[in-house]
Amino acid sequence: MLPLTSLTIVLSLLVVGSPVSSIPLNTQKTVVSLVTKFKAGGVTNVVAGDRTRAHVLYRAAISGKHDANASITNVPPIGYTIQVGFGNPMKHYGLLVDTASGNTWIGADQEYTKTNTSTGTGNTVSVSYGSANFSGEEYLDTITLGSLSISNQSIGVANKYKGFEGVDGVLGIGPVNLTKGTVSNTDTVPTIMDNLFSQDSIDSEILGVYFVPVSEEDATGTLTFGGWNSSLMTSDITYVPITNTSPACTYWGINQSINYGDSNLLSSVSGIVDTATVLILIESDAFKTYQSATGATLDETTGLLKITPDQYSSLKPLIFTIGGTAFTLTPNAQIWPRSMNSVIGDTSGNSDNIYLIVADIGNKTTFGFVSGYTFLERFYSIFDTTNQRVGFATTAYTESTSN
């Protein structure tokens, strides 16, 4: 059930769509508007952006440095954003929700406005996201999330950034160790989740994440700070501990097995769950098996696997076994929303083209998998720092056919 000291925030989705319709909740909520814009200049290859991000996250974990020394490719076409208040008097900024970063920063599309609660520390801050980066100065400021207020939160204020068109910055909700090496003269800095807990705003350092698929008319979502919302679930929660395997253990890393129908793709391999990755990335050998089993061809324009209508009708379930429970992507859940093909670089304008959301991670010296939001939007996820575990449950959208 939802703890009394938790707060649910309704997210907006960075995607062209219809006006937001509110989701009935039994908890206090803050509703924000749907953002109706994409990355400036469009997207040429979402696979390249996701793959670069995965490799940079891997190298950062191995080196223990999460600063901005990385090459830039392109950025994801869609991301979930949340309206966050900064300062006093308060000003709101739209931030990308990122479970693979611990730093919160602003100053991209909208410049940071200093207020009565803004204090410069004199330190510099820089972070790489693989497909984007930023650098700037560290400030301490008050952050407001609905009715919750965090005082003296470390934030980055960008003076240089790349790859964040359409958002004002990032809300880092990853583990605190991901801030290591990002701020000068500092080892790590408390994340917003750390400070919510230490300042007694929440009883447990737990975050519930709920994404409505981007193809739905009411595509939005919620973050629940301090707990979760069981009314959005259609099953019990399955928990799995954070993996002990390096470097996935640096992030929200778990062990899982993946099967396509009766074909095993991956057995008890470690990887990460990441809200700011778009696709589901898997090891090269597993990807080749999946491609062969589906009969898909690699589309050079989008970088995605493409299938025919007949192949789509023959798709088998893609099964993720996590903590002994099978979480299944139906055939419809394995394809990119056909009405949004132009977002991934399909210039034909043909919504009948069918692309798969499973891609090659590209390099065996990386994670076994990265489950991005195309996986997470089909399930409710819980990121539990207090108990060092991740939880999953099915939702009303697990078997949606809106793609």
Side-chain angles (χ1 to χ4, degrees), residues 52-130:
T52 300
R53 176 179 172 86
H55 292 175
V56 169
L57 293 177
Y58 180 88
R59 293 195 299 268
I62 291 295
S63 67
K65 297 179 179 179
H66 298 269
D67 58 21
N69 296 318
S71 60
I72 303 301
T73 55
N74 60 349
V75 301
I78 302 170
Y80 289 84
T81 64
I82 183 173
Q83 291 291 311
V84 181
F86 286 77
N88 183 19
M90 184 171 57
K91 183 177 180 180
H92 282 90
Y93 300 81
L95 305 185
L96 182 71
V97 175
D98 189 357
T99 53
S101 172
N103 296 81
T104 293
W105 66 272
I106 55 179
D109 266 18
Q110 185 179 192
E111 291 186 1
Y112 175 56
T113 300
K114 300 177 181 66
T115 69
N116 297 330
T117 56
S118 306
T119 303
T121 66
N123 293 330
T124 59
V125 56
S126 62
V127 181
S128 171
Y129 302 88

Side-chain angles (χ1 to χ4, degrees), residues 174-176 189-199 205 385:
V176 66
V189 295
T191 68
I192 64 160
M193 292 299 297
D194 292 334
N195 279 333
L196 282 171
F197 181 63
S198 66
Q199 295 175 22
E205 200 168 338
T385 300

